[in-house]
Amino acid sequence: EMSEMSERSKQNVAHGLAWSYYVGYLKIVLPRLKKSMEEFSRANPNVLVCRETWKLHILVPLSCDIYDDLEKADSNIQYLTDLTETTLTRAGTKKRVYKHSLYAIKDEVNKLWHCAVEYATPLQSLYAMSQDECAAFSREDRLEQAKLFYRTLEEILKGSKECAGTYRLIAYEESGEAETHFLSREILWHLQQQRHEEYTVYEGNQLNNPSTTLSSTELNLQISESDLPQPLRSDCF
């Protein structure tokens, strides 16, 4: 009976997506990321100058609005190259390819910061569900599940020894006003913070903490803590 209630209330959606994302993707690629970064750095010593940023920066927009092309999302984000591919045989697919793209992020003084960055792809599923009437998944449900996805993924990764020090989760909620360089500022703030973690004395201009960047504590406060299934609304698609 509890299983049926949980299924009807869509409580398992975010939890399942987070675990699937970790087991089927992050646990495979993250342990190999540092090696790819090291190889690239040896060939391009002036690009990845801050080792603390040698991570996969995973974007988690709570709106679940994802751009396939980051350069179209923000003109201050420029594709640079792809890191070394990882090729594995998985689930019957021979030579399945996993790779990450390296980007140059331009700040307010036109300085370039380099990092590997991509969206958390399961959020596309949450967005698609909110657009499909058969899923009976409202915008409010989508937001709640996006927050739960972030919290669950954060807890999973914190407990993963294989992935320690190889990722940076960037959860954010876009403001109502259209901002041309909103996304690049979000990424830059995290890059600056990581640089602070590596160097005691930071040289350069400090970016203000974007008000839309959300901490795990804030997300905890915004998500219902009730153990009981909550009724969903099927309007506002």
Side-chain angles (χ1 to χ4, degrees):
E1 181 180 354
M2 289 300 297
S3 178
E4 290 179 359
M5 293 173 65
S6 179
E7 183 177 352
R8 286 198 300 270
S9 67
K10 311 297 190 299
Q11 283 190 324
N12 293 330
V13 173
H15 186 266
L17 285 175
W19 271 103
S20 177
Y21 184 47
Y22 168 69
V23 174
Y25 179 64
L26 295 181
K27 191 176 181 180
I28 298 170
V29 301
L30 289 181
R32 297 170 171 83
L33 183 65
K34 284 291 178 69
K35 181 180 178 181
S36 296
M37 290 285 194
E38 289 173 356
E39 291 175 354
F40 181 85
S41 182
R42 283 196 296 268
N44 304 270
N46 297 323
V47 177
L48 297 175
V49 294
C50 179
R51 293 184 67 90
E52 189 63 29
T53 63
W54 291 13
K55 302 172 183 177
L56 181 61
H57 296 77
I58 303 171
L59 302 176
V60 186
L62 298 184
S63 66
C64 298
D65 192 7
I66 290 177
Y67 287 83
D68 289 326
D69 191 338
L70 282 172
E71 293 175 303
K72 291 182 179 179
D74 190 323
S75 60
N76 278 349
I77 303 175
Q78 303 168 6
Y79 169 77
L80 185 62
T81 188
D82 290 330
L83 295 174
T84 305
E85 297 177 351
T86 296
T87 304
L88 300 171
T89 296
R90 294 281 296 176
T93 301
K94 297 288 187 180
K95 298 180 180 180
R96 177 170 290 181
V97 175
Y98 299 87
K99 66 178 181 180
H100 308 289
S101 295
L102 198 65
Y103 287 88
I105 317 296
K106 184 167 62 176
D107 65 16
E108 295 176 348
V109 294
N110 293 323
K111 176 183 176 181
L112 295 179
W113 298 67
H114 301 89
C115 68
V117 58
E118 60 188 50
Y119 285 103
T121 52
L123 295 179
Q124 289 181 314
S125 298
L126 289 178
Y127 187 85
M129 288 178 67
S130 69
Q131 302 299 308
D132 193 322
E133 292 183 1
C134 295
F137 206 76
S138 70
R139 293 180 181 178
E140 290 79 9
D141 301 328
R142 184 180 72 199
L143 177 60
E144 186 85 357
Q145 291 296 313
K147 294 174 182 177
L148 184 56
F149 170 83
Y150 170 79
R151 283 180 53 198
T152 304
L153 182 61
E154 183 182 45
E155 291 175 2
I156 294 171
L157 287 171
K158 281 183 177 179
S160 173
K161 294 180 180 179
E162 302 98 321
C163 299
T166 62
Y167 67 92
R168 179 89 171 193
L169 296 180
I170 304 178
Y172 59 90
E173 189 167 14
E174 295 176 308
S175 61
E177 301 178 359
E179 297 183 44
T180 306
H181 301 303
F182 170 85
L183 186 56
S184 61
R185 288 192 294 104
E186 290 288 330
I187 299 171
L188 282 168
W189 185 82
H190 281 269
L191 293 177
Q192 295 249 18
Q193 290 301 304
Q194 290 172 92
R195 190 178 178 90
H196 273 295
E197 293 169 8
E198 182 167 2
Y199 301 108
T200 304
V201 179
Y202 173 71
E203 297 177 358
N205 294 325
Q206 169 94 20
L207 292 179
N208 291 327
N209 183 352
S211 59
T212 51
T213 299
L214 300 176
S215 66
S216 179
T217 302
E218 291 174 313
L219 290 175
N220 284 337
L221 294 175
Q222 295 179 54
I223 300 177
S224 173
E225 296 294 337
S226 174
D227 292 329
L228 297 177
Q230 300 296 314
L232 299 184
R233 295 176 55 189
S234 59
D235 58 343
C236 302
F237 282 85

